[in-house]
Amino acid sequence: MMNIKAFQLVSAIERELLMGDKDRINIECVECCGKNLYVGTNDCFVYHFLLEEKTLPTGTATFTATKQLHRHLGFKKPVNELRAASALNRLLVLCDNSITLVNMMNLEPIPTGARIKGAVTFALNENPVSGDPFCVEVCIISVKRRTIQMFMVYEDRVQIVKEVSTPEQPFAVAVDGHFLCLALTTQYIILNYNTGVSQDLFPYCSEEKRPIVKRIGRQEFLLAGPGGLGMFATVAGISQRAPVHWSENVIGAAICFPYVIALDDEFITVHSMLDQQQKQTLPFKEGHILQDFEGRVIVATSKGVYILVPLPLEKQIQDLLASHRVEEALVLAKGARRNIPKDKFQVMYRRILQQAGFIQFAQLQFLEAKELFRSGQLDVRELISLYPFLLPTSSSFTRSHPPLHEYADLNQLTQGDQEKMAQCKRFLMSYLNEVRSTEVANGYKEDIDTALLKLYAEADHDSLLDLLVTENFCLLTDSAVWLEKYKKYFALGLLYHYNNQDAAALQLWVNIVNGDIHDSTRSDLYEYVVDFLTYCLDQELVWKYADWVLQKSEEVGVQVFTKRPLDEQQKNSFNPDDVINCLKKYPKALVKYLEYLVIDRRLQKEEYHTHLALLYLEEVLQQRPSTNDKCAEVTGMQAKLRNLLQKSDLYRVHFLIDKIQGTGLHMESAILHGKLEEHEKALHILVHELKDLSAAEDYCLWSSEGRDGPYRQRLFHTLLAIYLSAGASDCELVVAAVDLLNHHATEFDASQVLQLLPDTWSVQLLCPFLTGVMRHSIHTKRMTQVAVGLAKSENLIYSYDKMKLKGSSIRLSDKKLCQMCQNPFCEPVFVRYPNGRLVHTHCAASRHTNPNSSSPGNRT
Amino acid sequence: MKKPDVKIVLLGDVNVGKTSLLHRYMERRFQDTVSTVGGAFYLKQWRSYNISIWDTAGREQFHGLGSMYCRGAAAVILTYDVNHLQSLVELEDRFLGLTDTASTNCLFAIVGNKVDLTEEGAAEDQEKEEGCSREAGSSCASAKVSKQVKLEDAVALYKKILKYKMLEEKDMPAAEKMCFETSAKTGYNVDHLFETLFDMVVPMILQKRAEGPPQTVDISNYKQPKQTKSGCCA
Ligand SMILES: Nc1nc2c(ncn2[C@@H]2O[C@H](COP(=O)(O)OP(=O)(O)OP(=O)(O)O)[C@@H](O)[C@H]2O)c(=O)[nH]1
Ligand SMILES: [Mg+2]
């Protein structure tokens, strides 16, 4: 068992002071009350001393006792017991089985001579029930067998209040409220003297071994148990603390929180009530008295009186911490809570937790350390400062004094062990990461984040980037130096960006992409830069790096113009002409940009549309150098061109027709002519140049999209005319004409068609056309008839309503009020709603609603 | 110091392994022990409750303390050594009487410890040396013996206890549920034992709370049940 120094034994009264050289004089009992120290001797003397405490510069306490007086009590018996009742200014003296009251100051017996007779021993009730401050409650073990008596003792009189008999002879007693704790012949019991109810505690043979009954606090007693145990028991007869283990021949016990002190013939032992462990042993021969008086512990032999001075708890705790006994130190500190003012305690306890944390930390017990740092509310910088160079140079931090630990830095703590060092760093990383967003970080977020950045950079940790892209307080200069040192250029760029230095950030990243400096953090850094510029609000920067991104890749680079977020467009968008100007050198990018303007943003500006169409056209022409290559499939680019030509109405048609002339792009030129409403020409091209009859048919359909019926009919008739004009010789076109009629029967005006057709054509041939036309015509007729019928019947219904309403007359009098304005009618003109309500004409005009229904009213 | 909500007490003869069981449960390991002096207690946080668990000394010298330790207990764990019949007998002869002071609705668990030393226990224990197969059991007889106390004996004792306490079997947990065989050495069944009991005492805590804390202790409460009992037996 490791010891701590909890008490120091100092002499209080030298033997010379008491008895000089008279050897047969023995100390029988002592009492201490404030500065008053009383000693009773075997030759019936009571001594009164004043006790003066001094603390030497070394921190050790010394006591000097100055004798005030001594008085013989007038018997030939020893003084057995002394108790002071300071409220009454009385000393209770037990001598020759009687308790006398003497003045505390001059030791004179009181004039009334009041006394308690027939007492073997007595105890004061430290938890009195009477509530009278000028009265003490005294319990005696009477000389009468098996009898306990309770007295009220006043300044000059005593009064018996209760006598109880016990089942066996009592040997020792302690009192708390109504509860007596008694050592009987064979056992300890709790006896409620008020109710007489008793409660067995445990067996103990008081005749064999002197019992100890000591009140240690509210409703709790300490008892000598079997096998040298110090047993705790409450008035309820239960034990709330584990016993302490004394020696078999223990003589006395005292309490000085949180310690239990016991005396035997060779030692004073000190146990902690908090963990039941023995904490200290002091050799002390021939001791026979051990008592505590309001926290002051006194031991005495028959010749001298000594005081056990507790070392300050804080000192004890520091001693424990110094020997790395964290657990015990914390138990002791916690146990001291109720003995120290709250504020002071908290400060002390926090510091102890922090110290304990560092002890655990030095042993690499990180979990425990973390918990202690957390509960001790450690200033994280104390921890950071252990790691060389982590605190920013600008930090104002200085370690607390006295220091929380004995280490200069991590190197000393780990003694250079790299593995341990790495573990410590990992711990700090996770710890800082945990606390940085808590209130622990308040006030020194810069220090924490900068340290964390340094750790991450050094360890090549992924979280470095997370730290920099989210809210952080990394100090720029300090961090930049570290990132450079560890070649974290990409991260450095992020840091610059976070500090609104985008230009510096971009320069770094461009250098990385160009291979001027090396940092492989991102393999897609180019795309990252493009993305960055896309969202960059600084136009100058975008212009600065536009050429660079476009040179790397036109398609990707152009995104800095085309992918810009929309909300930004309004306030701070690029002038398209500037961009187009810039993109001249980058044709692919230019196409993409124009597409963006025309298709995505739907800018209705002729130049862009024409420009885009022209670029498409050039591209198409470049792709198919051989003109009239009929079998070539429509390329993607061609499709785009056609699409644009068809959908857009803004480009300069004539300009494009000129460009397209002779290129063999028939379809495209047909579309262009169509734009000019030159449908015949367009269809002619399709039929005769392109020789794509289905394209011609399609043309009729899409060109007339969104137009009225006659417009479409005109197109079909034009096409039919083209087919027929070729004459019967071109039989392909004849077939086409027949098919056209048969497939699109309803698109034609049958009577006109029939006049156009050559007489030679058989009815057979045109059968589908004719039946189609007939059916359509009949259908139209019938539908019209139905419509006429319905309209007629509707008309009839309204006529009926009108007749009904007109059937009765309406009387207008002064009493009839307008339902809207509530005024009478002054003229014989009114409006009547179908529900019968009458209103002024002007009221009805101003509100075309029925006064009582939401549906519009019909006026009659 | 946190105030415990409820108390559980371990009773049983010297050397049956009470301290080892508690140590195994609380500290998660098996360690050399010294014979307990007086008693010791642990505070266990179980859900939101504080449960105090008292380890008592089996030595005859401290026998007298048992009643006090049991006073007001919500559960008593009567422990014996499965290889030592006498330790079961002692439970009835010597320890049962100590539980008179326990709370009136006190639960009883009967625990046969050290099953790792028996043949069956060895089979249950995977950590044991491979070398000693079941067949070779007889040659290892010095280490592995067949159990002296069967679980049925414990069950029988449990029923006897209920009779002694004049409790109806149907009102109390079934014997099969309250008789355990454990090994503090291997940890076998130890968590199960304690946690089963914790779960059972929680309702008692709640009931106690509902009734309100007995601020001033009226010790007459403790005497009365005894008196009625003796009156009833007479
Ligand atoms: N093999 C084996 N040995 C055990 C087991 N449990 C305890 N022991 C051993 O048995 C001996 C007694 O154990 P303790 O836990 O001290 O017994 P106890 O019941 O607390 O004894 P007292 O405190 O004297 O009442 C020790 O040597 C333990 O190592 C077990 O499950 N298996
Ligand atoms: Mg034990």
Side-chain angles (χ1 to χ4, degrees):
Chain A
M1 166 87 285
M2 280 201 287
N3 279 339
I4 57 173
K5 200 170 174 195
F7 294 94
Q8 202 179 7
L9 189 65
V10 298
S11 167
I13 303 175
E14 302 294 341
R15 99 179 245 160
E16 296 78 51
L17 259 177
L18 271 174
M19 52 205 77
D21 51 2
K22 284 180 256 166
D23 254 358
R24 41 170 203 84
I25 296 177
N26 289 335
I27 297 171
E28 283 290 320
C29 55
V30 290
E31 163 70 335
C32 184
C33 177
K35 288 187 173 177
N36 301 299
L37 180 64
Y38 301 91
V39 175
T41 61
N42 61 338
D43 59 352
C44 212
F45 270 100
V46 175
Y47 291 77
H48 178 204
F49 298 90
L50 267 189
L51 204 55
E52 211 62 56
E53 181 174 1
K54 278 208 204 79
T55 311
L56 297 182
T58 54
T60 44
T62 57
F63 288 91
T64 37
T66 26
K67 192 166 110 184
Q68 303 299 298
L69 60 130
H70 66 287
R71 186 174 295 278
H72 193 260
L73 293 177
F75 300 98
K76 287 226 160 65
K77 293 284 170 70
V79 179
N80 299 116
E81 284 175 49
L82 291 169
R83 285 284 178 281
S86 54
L88 316 181
N89 192 29
R90 293 289 172 265
L91 188 65
L92 281 67
V93 186
L94 173 65
C95 180
D96 196 20
N97 288 342
S98 109
I99 301 169
T100 46
L101 304 180
V102 300
N103 183 301
M104 250 178 93
M105 291 303 132
N106 59 20
L107 304 182
E108 293 284 351
I110 52 159
T112 58
R115 62 178 64 204
I116 300 170
K117 287 189 204 134
V120 178
T121 180
F122 72 102
L124 301 191
N125 191 351
E126 287 168 70
N127 181 19
V129 290
S130 77
D132 178 351
F134 299 104
C135 153
V136 291
E137 296 166 28
V138 176
C139 168
I140 68 158
I141 295 178
S142 168
V143 289
K144 258 201 304 192
R145 282 201 58 76
R146 301 200 284 110
T147 305
I148 299 283
Q149 290 171 335
M150 299 300 298
F151 290 89
M152 301 284 229
V153 174
Y154 301 88
E155 204 176 5
D156 50 8
R157 66 192 169 95
V158 301
Q159 178 189 344
I160 186 161
V161 285
K162 195 92 181 182
E163 175 171 308
V164 277
S165 66
T166 54
E168 297 171 2
Q169 177 57 33
F171 284 77
V173 64
V175 199
D176 182 286
H178 284 123
F179 295 102
L180 306 176
C181 184
L182 292 163
L184 304 181
T185 318
T186 65
Q187 63 171 337
Y188 288 103
I189 64 164
I190 296 281
L191 177 66
N192 184 327
Y193 70 79
N194 201 31
T195 62
V197 178
S198 79
Q199 167 84 74
D200 296 348
L201 293 178
F202 57 87
Y204 188 85
C205 193
S206 300
E207 278 164 333
E208 272 171 28
K209 217 180 292 170
R210 191 164 123 191
I212 296 175
V213 180
K214 162 125 196 70
R215 178 184 181 273
I216 64 163
R218 218 180 101 78
Q219 305 199 323
E220 193 173 10
F221 301 96
L222 175 62
L223 313 168
L229 288 181
M231 296 287 295
F232 296 92
T234 66
V235 294
I238 58 175
S239 204
Q240 285 176 335
R241 307 169 203 265
V244 290
H245 194 190
W246 296 325
S247 70
E248 289 274 0
N249 35 19
V250 59
I251 301 164
I255 292 288
C256 181
F257 193 83
Y259 298 108
V260 177
I261 302 152
L263 175 70
D264 64 26
D265 41 19
E266 278 185 283
F267 296 102
I268 297 166
T269 54
V270 177
H271 286 77
S272 168
M273 278 201 277
L274 304 169
D275 60 8
Q276 275 67 42
Q277 304 291 338
Q278 184 170 333
K279 299 292 181 185
Q280 193 182 3
T281 312
L282 300 115
F284 190 77
K285 288 228 165 25
E286 291 165 4
H288 78 135
I289 298 169
L290 169 65
Q291 272 177 295
D292 57 270
F293 306 95
E294 295 158 341
R296 172 155 296 162
V297 184
I298 292 182
V299 273
T301 62
S302 50
K303 304 296 177 190
V305 179
Y306 304 82
I307 294 180
L308 269 178
V309 185
L311 272 84
L313 269 180
E314 220 169 323
K315 167 96 175 69
Q316 295 179 37
I317 292 164
Q318 290 306 332
D319 287 350
L320 284 171
L321 288 173
S323 46
H324 292 181
R325 288 153 73 184
V326 172
E327 201 64 38
E328 285 174 81
L330 291 176
V331 167
L332 187 54
K334 256 184 272 181
R337 172 166 276 149
R338 57 176 153 127
N339 291 33
I340 298 178
K342 197 172 169 207
D343 301 348
K344 185 156 179 279
F345 174 80
Q346 274 177 349
V347 172
M348 180 195 87
Y349 191 55
R350 268 211 291 277
R351 191 180 148 78
I352 292 165
L353 287 170
Q354 295 172 2
Q355 286 179 292
F358 277 107
I359 290 169
Q360 299 282 22
F361 174 78
Q363 295 168 355
L364 309 189
Q365 307 280 342
F366 296 126
L367 269 181
E368 291 81 356
K370 186 160 89 179
E371 184 49 32
L372 289 164
F373 289 153
R374 194 194 57 71
S375 46
Q377 298 171 22
L378 177 75
D379 177 344
V380 235
R381 298 175 301 174
E382 286 282 355
L383 183 60
I384 301 174
S385 74
L386 261 182
Y387 296 68
F389 310 118
L390 284 197
L391 277 180
T393 38
S394 59
S395 174
S396 60
F397 174 73
T398 49
R399 287 189 190 174
S400 83
H401 189 83
L404 293 171
H405 54 79
E406 66 214 49
Y407 306 103
D409 62 16
L410 206 57
N411 289 321
Q412 188 204 342
L413 188 147
T414 60
Q415 291 172 334
D417 184 326
Q418 288 305 311
E419 173 50 30
K420 283 186 185 167
M421 194 99 91
Q423 284 184 33
C424 290
K425 286 181 177 171
R426 278 198 295 276
F427 165 68
L428 185 61
M429 261 188 247
S430 73
Y431 184 65
L432 292 182
N433 187 41
E434 269 176 47
V435 301
R436 65 186 289 260
S437 48
T438 66
E439 60 192 20
V440 174
N442 286 348
Y444 18 88
K445 288 180 189 279
E446 286 87 359
D447 294 359
I448 292 178
D449 283 359
T450 309
L452 196 54
L453 173 133
K454 289 177 179 177
L455 286 167
Y456 283 155
E458 185 186 340
D460 197 13
H461 200 284
D462 293 342
S463 304
L464 175 61
L465 305 182
D466 295 336
L467 176 68
L468 284 168
V469 298
T470 50
E471 190 192 20
N472 68 74
F473 297 86
C474 297
L475 289 174
L476 180 60
T477 43
D478 246 68
S479 306
V481 171
W482 268 65
L483 294 175
E484 237 162 53
K485 179 172 164 198
Y486 289 98
K487 301 198 175 356
K488 298 285 167 201
Y489 298 113
F490 174 69
L492 181 54
L494 292 177
L495 178 71
Y496 282 138
H497 168 56
Y498 192 81
N499 286 279
N500 300 318
Q501 302 186 12
D502 285 355
L506 277 165
Q507 190 57 57
L508 265 176
W509 292 335
V510 167
N511 288 346
I512 297 172
V513 176
N514 289 342
D516 300 339
I517 50 178
H518 187 75
D519 175 3
S520 57
T521 309
R522 285 195 83 120
S523 55
D524 60 345
L525 186 53
Y526 166 70
E527 285 80 2
Y528 183 87
V529 172
V530 170
D531 205 52
F532 184 85
L533 286 171
T534 304
Y535 289 91
C536 178
L537 296 175
D538 182 348
Q539 292 206 3
E540 242 170 78
L541 270 183
V542 180
W543 286 123
K544 181 172 175 195
Y545 289 100
D547 274 320
W548 183 81
V549 293
L550 288 162
Q551 276 157 15
K552 288 267 158 207
S553 159
E554 291 189 23
E555 277 98 337
V556 179
V558 76
Q559 289 175 7
V560 303
F561 299 116
T562 60
K563 293 257 170 91
R564 302 192 77 72
L566 270 172
D567 57 314
E568 186 222 341
Q569 295 284 358
Q570 273 89 46
K571 50 179 184 195
N572 162 26
S573 64
F574 286 96
N575 179 350
D577 297 329
D578 293 346
V579 177
I580 290 167
N581 198 32
C582 159
L583 292 179
K584 274 204 187 112
K585 286 170 282 174
Y586 312 102
K588 283 190 194 135
L590 184 56
V591 169
K592 290 240 184 270
Y593 185 67
L594 286 169
E595 281 175 347
Y596 158 74
L597 292 180
V598 169
I599 297 163
D600 297 341
R601 285 186 58 199
R602 302 172 200 276
L603 289 190
Q604 304 296 309
K605 206 164 170 193
E606 176 271 323
E607 282 119 87
Y608 304 151
H609 289 241
T610 310
H611 198 166
L612 182 58
L614 192 63
L615 289 175
Y616 280 158
L617 180 60
E618 280 168 2
E619 183 64 21
V620 168
L621 291 175
Q622 220 169 27
Q623 278 175 6
R624 31 174 307 195
S626 58
T627 46
N628 282 331
D629 188 356
K630 273 197 91 178
C631 64
E633 282 177 40
V634 181
T635 62
M637 190 51 71
Q638 204 164 2
K640 281 185 178 175
L641 173 60
R642 285 183 190 172
N643 200 37
L644 178 66
L645 294 181
Q646 282 181 11
K647 298 273 161 65
S648 164
D649 298 322
L650 288 171
Y651 55 87
R652 278 150 59 199
V653 185
H654 290 289
F655 174 75
L656 283 168
I657 286 180
D658 287 351
K659 288 276 172 193
I660 221 162
Q661 212 87 68
T663 59
L665 292 175
H666 301 301
M667 187 64 191
E668 288 73 9
S669 65
I671 296 169
L672 289 171
H673 284 292
K675 279 282 156 183
L676 297 172
E677 297 287 320
E678 296 169 5
H679 297 301
E680 190 171 345
K681 196 152 183 190
L683 287 167
H684 198 274
I685 291 170
L686 292 176
V687 174
H688 291 291
E689 314 259 345
L690 189 62
K691 298 196 192 315
D692 186 342
L693 305 182
S694 69
E697 232 174 274
D698 283 346
Y699 178 92
C700 297
L701 292 173
W702 62 255
S703 288
S704 60
E705 235 162 56
R707 308 291 192 107
D708 57 5
Y711 189 91
R712 171 174 294 206
Q713 219 175 56
R714 223 171 24 251
L715 287 181
F716 273 97
H717 279 275
T718 312
L719 183 57
L720 182 66
I722 290 172
Y723 285 166
L724 294 176
S725 65
S729 57
D730 194 338
C731 80
E732 199 194 345
L733 290 188
V734 172
V735 173
V738 173
D739 284 350
L740 185 65
L741 286 168
N742 286 346
H743 286 150
H744 299 279
T746 53
E747 309 289 5
F748 292 93
D749 179 343
S751 54
Q752 270 184 47
V753 169
L754 289 176
Q755 281 164 25
L756 287 173
L757 294 184
D759 304 337
T760 49
W761 288 18
S762 68
V763 172
Q764 198 79 38
L765 192 63
L766 287 173
C767 186
F769 170 69
L770 294 172
T771 47
V773 168
M774 282 299 290
R775 179 168 297 140
H776 181 67
S777 153
I778 290 168
H779 175 74
T780 313
K781 181 180 167 204
R782 289 184 182 156
M783 287 304 285
T784 316
Q785 283 171 346
V786 170
V788 169
L790 286 173
K792 276 187 178 160
S793 60
E794 195 183 9
N795 184 262
L796 205 60
I797 290 167
Y798 288 131
S799 310
Y800 168 71
D801 285 348
K802 189 176 170 192
M803 291 292 286
K804 250 194 357 190
L805 292 173
K806 278 190 169 166
S808 56
S809 62
I810 292 143
R811 273 182 80 103
L812 202 59
S813 69
D814 296 354
K815 284 173 191 151
K816 284 234 165 86
L817 297 179
C818 168
Q819 296 290 319
M820 256 176 198
C821 67
Q822 307 301 332
N823 291 321
F825 294 90
C826 311
E827 290 171 290
V829 196
F830 60 88
V831 171
R832 181 178 184 272
Y833 283 99
N835 59 10
R837 313 228 160 192
L838 304 183
V839 298
H840 290 118
T841 46
H842 55 263
C843 287
S846 66
R847 250 184 84 195
H848 287 285
T849 47
N850 184 308
N852 263 357
S853 82
S854 56
S855 68
N858 288 328
R859 270 170 278 176
T860 52
Chain B
M1 192 171 60
K2 275 176 276 183
K3 268 255 175 289
D5 295 302
V6 77
K7 176 160 77 173
I8 295 180
V9 182
L10 275 153
L11 288 181
D13 207 354
V14 171
N15 211 38
V16 296
K18 299 178 294 297
T19 304
S20 303
L21 278 171
L22 198 48
H23 199 264
R24 157 65 74 181
Y25 181 68
M26 296 298 295
E27 316 272 330
R28 320 304 301 162
R29 59 199 163 114
F30 181 73
Q31 209 189 23
D32 251 4
T33 53
V34 288
S35 185
T36 306
V37 175
F41 94 114
Y42 288 85
L43 208 55
K44 167 78 187 175
Q45 176 107 25
W46 176 251
R47 310 217 179 95
S48 57
Y49 309 106
N50 293 317
I51 298 179
S52 67
I53 312 171
W54 280 84
D55 178 23
T56 62
R59 257 153 60 187
E60 185 62 49
Q61 184 185 19
F62 301 113
H63 190 251
L65 306 179
S67 286
M68 188 167 79
Y69 286 140
C70 284
R71 182 161 289 126
V76 172
I77 302 175
L78 294 160
T79 318
Y80 65 94
D81 176 348
V82 289
N83 305 302
H84 202 65
L85 182 58
Q86 188 56 31
S87 67
L88 184 78
V89 176
E90 293 286 329
L91 285 183
E92 187 183 350
D93 291 355
R94 211 146 64 79
F95 292 96
L96 187 53
L98 300 178
T99 66
D100 290 351
T101 51
S103 92
T104 40
N105 50 355
C106 178
L107 296 165
F108 292 88
I110 302 183
V111 176
N113 188 38
K114 305 197 190 182
V115 277
D116 58 285
L117 295 178
T118 66
E119 284 177 341
E120 296 104 291
E124 274 153 359
D125 173 21
Q126 279 91 15
E127 286 163 55
K128 281 273 120 67
E129 321 88 311
E130 307 271 298
C132 192
S133 72
R134 296 271 279 154
E135 286 309 304
S138 52
S139 63
C140 292
S142 53
K144 306 273 181 275
V145 291
S146 68
K147 249 191 327 195
Q148 265 203 22
V149 188
K150 297 208 180 51
L151 194 58
E152 296 85 84
D153 304 333
V155 168
L157 174 60
Y158 182 79
K159 293 184 173 163
K160 251 193 209 168
I161 290 174
L162 295 193
K163 242 187 223 123
Y164 168 81
K165 298 276 167 188
M166 291 185 307
L167 293 163
E168 293 290 333
E169 265 184 50
K170 61 174 171 40
D171 299 335
M172 297 296 284
E176 290 69 26
K177 251 180 101 179
M178 299 307 278
C179 295
F180 299 81
E181 288 191 337
T182 60
S183 165
K185 186 165 184 176
T186 67
Y188 172 73
N189 241 352
V190 175
D191 287 357
H192 175 64
L193 160 69
F194 284 103
E195 283 161 15
T196 305
L197 278 180
F198 293 166
D199 280 337
M200 286 177 161
V201 297
V202 163
M204 298 165 78
I205 298 173
L206 297 176
Q207 189 190 344
K208 205 168 93 183
R209 283 191 187 169
E211 286 164 3
Q215 270 311 335
T216 26
V217 178
D218 183 0
I219 45 180
S220 59
N221 275 355
Y222 291 108
K223 284 272 174 174
Q224 255 131 29
K226 237 183 191 170
Q227 284 158 357
T228 45
K229 191 175 295 165
S230 57
C232 179
C233 278

